[in-house]
């Protein structure tokens, strides 16, 4: 297994639309395992393949405290969503250090395949419901900051670009030392 680099907003590759998976082979299992390792290491509760620059419909999620409830969703679809909505402060491994409220359906039923290609349905609520909808947005090329006002989004963009420039400068210094 290996850690995969995570794309950072506003990288344009985060807006690519992921294709459905058609082949359930060892490569897919390795991708899911590497994504899980990357998510736990970050640490985060969910990761979409889009975030590691693989544009296929694969998501890993583990919202448990003990990190023992890893779930892999391949080609996920929302087959039902509650009328009731909730606002959660969301963050994202591709938008480090930024948290803001996003309103979504409070409960959803998701149909997906696991890494072996077996179909399952799962009723999600609470953090799991937030997380699956957030990750499914990634597969459509949508980052959660797009739910925020243009003013907030631009501030976030400026802040992250500045941080990236500063990090690059520091890396250059290390190489020169
Ligand atoms: Ni995210």
């Amino acid at each position: 297994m290996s850690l995969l680099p995570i794309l950072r907003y506003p990288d344009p590759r985060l807006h690519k639309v992921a294709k459905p998976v058609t082949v359930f082979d060892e490569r897919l299992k390795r991708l899911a395992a590497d994504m899980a390792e990357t998510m736990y290491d970050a640490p985060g509760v969910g990761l979409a393949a889009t975030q590691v620059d693989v544009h296929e419909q694969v998501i890993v999620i583990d919202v448990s405290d003990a990190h023992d409830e890893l779930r892999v969703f391949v080609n996920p679809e929302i087959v039902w969503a509650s009328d009731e909505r909730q606002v959660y402060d969301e963050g994202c491994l591709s938008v480090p250090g930024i948290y803001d409220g996003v309103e979504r359906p409070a409960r959803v039923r998701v149909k997906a395949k696991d890494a072996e290609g077996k179909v399952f349905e799962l009723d999600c609520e609470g953090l799991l419901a937030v997380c699956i909808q957030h990750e499914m947005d990634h597969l459509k090329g949508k980052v959660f900051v797009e739910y925020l006002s243009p003013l907030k989004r631009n501030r976030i963009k400026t802040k992250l670009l500045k941080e990236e420039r500063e990090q690059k400068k520091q890396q250059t210094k290390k190489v020169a030392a």
Side-chain angles (χ1 to χ4, degrees):
M1 293 208 288
S2 52
L3 292 178
L4 306 168
I6 298 175
L7 298 179
R8 281 176 60 132
Y9 184 78
D11 192 308
R13 289 170 290 180
L14 285 169
H15 303 303
K16 284 194 189 176
V17 177
K19 292 194 174 72
V21 170
T22 52
V23 182
F24 291 80
D25 58 0
E26 284 309 309
R27 188 201 65 98
L28 177 68
K29 281 180 210 153
R30 200 176 321 122
L31 171 65
D34 287 346
M35 284 172 59
E37 195 187 357
T38 305
M39 171 185 77
Y40 288 128
D41 177 73
V45 293
L47 189 71
T50 308
Q51 293 175 275
V52 293
D53 202 21
V54 175
H55 302 281
E56 295 171 38
Q57 294 177 11
V58 182
I59 288 169
V60 293
I61 289 179
D62 187 346
V63 294
S64 72
D65 289 330
H67 290 180
D68 58 359
E69 286 172 27
L70 177 67
R71 289 192 172 95
V72 179
F73 300 81
V74 179
N75 303 344
E77 297 167 57
I78 289 181
V79 291
W80 174 83
S82 64
D83 292 332
E84 187 199 334
R85 295 170 75 84
Q86 65 182 357
V87 179
Y88 239 87
D89 251 355
E90 294 188 20
C92 179
L93 294 177
S94 294
V95 194
I98 307 288
Y99 294 85
D100 215 321
V102 176
E103 187 187 306
R104 302 181 186 273
R107 283 167 288 130
V108 291
R109 182 173 304 131
V110 179
K111 186 180 173 186
K113 287 181 175 174
D114 64 17
E116 315 274 339
K118 194 169 155 250
V119 178
F120 66 93
E121 280 197 24
L122 186 68
D123 286 313
C124 307
E125 58 177 14
L127 180 57
L128 182 58
V130 174
C131 194
I132 187 72
Q133 292 177 82
H134 175 116
E135 304 309 335
M136 284 180 70
D137 276 348
H138 275 301
L139 299 182
K140 293 173 205 141
K142 187 166 181 175
V143 180
F144 87 98
V145 297
E146 288 166 63
Y147 288 100
L148 310 178
S149 70
L151 180 70
K152 271 190 185 171
R153 193 160 58 242
N154 279 328
R155 266 194 214 142
I156 292 167
K157 219 179 258 183
T158 309
K159 182 174 182 278
L160 290 179
L161 286 171
K162 193 174 157 226
E163 281 174 11
E164 208 175 294
R165 274 197 304 272
E166 278 164 8
Q167 273 177 6
K168 267 186 197 150
K169 250 191 253 166
Q170 280 171 359
Q171 279 165 3
T172 313
K173 264 185 222 158
K174 268 184 214 155
V175 171

